[in-house]
Amino acid sequence: MSTSESRNRVVANRGGWLSGRTPFVILGAVLFVYVCYPFVAFLWRLDGFDSAAATDPATLSAVRYSLTTAPVATVLATVFGVPLAYVLARSSFRGKSVVEALVIVPLVLPPVVAGLLLLTGFGSLTPVGSFARSVGIRLTDSYVGIVLAQTFVASPFVVITSRAGFAGIDDQLEEAARSLGSSPVGTFWNVSVPLARNSILAGIVLTFARAVGEFGATMLVAYHPHTMPVQIWVAFGSQGLDATVPLVVLLALIGFSVVFALQALGRTPTLTR
C-alpha cells in the first residue's frame, strides 16, 4: 500500500470515527462549554483590572502565606502519606477497609466540617491546643493552623494516587529484590518508589494544588493570617468582584499549571485500584 493510500485511509477513518460518534461529541461539548463559560465571563471583566490591587499589602501577604504554607503541607502529606499508601497497597490486616475509608473521608466532607473537626481536636481550649500553647506554639490563627488545615484536606490525594501506583506494581519484582538481599526499606526506595513514580508525583501535584486552594477549613482554623482563598472572600465582601481579580487570576494560573504538570506525567491519577 502506498503512502498516499495509507494517508487517505487514515483521513477516512477519522471522518468515520467522528460521524459515528456525533451524539457523544454533542453531549460532551455541552459540558465543555459549560466549564469554559465562567472562565470566559471572568476574563471579559479584566478591563476592570486594578493594577494597584495586585500590589496591595493584603494581597501580597495572602500570596506569601499561601505559597509558603502549601509546600509545607505537601511535604508533610508526602512524607507520611506515601508510606501509608504502600502499607495499604501491600498489606492485609483487620480493619484495613476502615483505615482506607477514613483516609478518603476528608475528600467528601464539606471543608467547613473539616474545619470544625480540626477545631475540636486542635482548638486553643483542647488538651492538644493547650499543651502547644504552653510551649509557645499556636495551633489556630497562625501559620501552623494554616498548615494543619491544608494537610488535613489535601493529604488524601497523595495517599490515594500513590496507593494506586503501588498496587499496579507486580509484587514479584519486589520479591526478586528481597531474594537478592535487599531489605524491606531498600526494596521500597529502590524498586517500589521508582516504579510508582508517576502516581506519586501526580498525588504530590494534586495535594499542592488542593492546599493552595483550601478555603473552608482554613477560614475556621486560621482566619488570620489570610491565605489567597480567604483574602478573595474578604476582598469580595468588602470591595466587590473587581477587587478579587489579581488573586483569582493567580489561583487560575496555578490550576492550569497543575493540569499541565499532570499531562507531563503522562497519566491521569485514579482514585481506585
Side-chain angles (χ1 to χ4, degrees):
M1 182 182 298
S2 65
T3 303
S4 59
E5 291 176 344
S6 300
R7 186 180 299 109
N8 291 336
R9 176 169 296 185
V10 170
V11 172
N13 289 337
R14 288 177 179 174
W17 182 93
L18 182 60
S19 62
R21 293 170 173 79
T22 299
F24 306 107
V25 173
I26 293 175
L27 292 174
V30 172
L31 180 60
F32 177 77
V33 171
Y34 171 72
V35 171
C36 291
Y37 171 71
F39 290 98
V40 175
F42 187 83
L43 291 174
W44 190 261
R45 295 183 60 93
L46 286 182
D47 56 350
F49 182 85
D50 184 3
S51 59
T55 58
D56 182 79
T59 298
L60 295 178
S61 175
V63 171
R64 182 176 69 254
Y65 275 106
S66 285
L67 296 183
T68 56
T69 55
V72 175
T74 302
V75 169
L76 291 174
T78 302
V79 169
F80 297 101
V82 173
L84 174 59
Y86 185 73
V87 171
L88 295 176
R90 284 290 181 257
S91 303
S92 296
F93 53 89
R94 182 176 299 179
K96 177 180 176 181
S97 59
V98 175
V99 173
E100 291 178 325
L102 288 174
V103 169
I104 299 174
V105 163
L107 291 180
V108 299
L109 287 177
V112 172
V113 174
L116 292 174
L117 293 176
L118 289 171
L119 281 179
T120 59
F122 300 100
S124 58
L125 299 180
T126 64
V128 175
S130 298
F131 174 77
R133 188 173 53 188
S134 68
V135 296
I137 300 175
R138 293 182 58 185
L139 299 183
T140 58
D141 288 325
S142 64
Y143 182 99
V144 175
I146 296 173
V147 173
L148 287 175
Q150 291 175 340
T151 303
F152 183 80
V153 300
S155 58
F157 285 103
V158 72
V159 176
I160 294 172
T161 57
S162 298
R163 182 195 183 282
F166 290 131
I169 299 172
D170 187 348
D171 54 9
Q172 293 183 355
L173 297 175
E174 296 176 332
E175 293 175 2
R178 293 293 304 278
S179 67
L180 294 174
S182 178
S183 66
V185 174
T187 301
F188 172 77
W189 280 112
N190 299 320
V191 178
S192 304
V193 170
L195 291 175
R197 173 180 176 273
N198 283 350
S199 294
I200 295 172
L201 290 177
I204 292 173
V205 172
L206 288 173
T207 298
F208 174 79
R210 182 66 182 86
V212 169
E214 165 51 32
F215 169 65
T218 303
M219 183 177 67
L220 288 181
V221 178
Y223 183 77
H224 294 289
H226 293 166
T227 57
M228 285 193 288
V230 174
Q231 181 60 29
I232 288 173
W233 175 254
V234 171
F236 176 74
S238 61
Q239 304 176 51
L241 183 62
D242 289 341
T244 69
V245 170
L247 288 173
V248 170
V249 170
L250 180 56
L251 279 176
L253 289 175
I254 292 174
F256 282 119
S257 299
V258 169
V259 172
F260 288 131
L262 290 175
Q263 290 177 336
L265 293 175
R267 62 179 296 174
T268 301
T270 57
L271 296 183
T272 59
R273 181 174 177 176

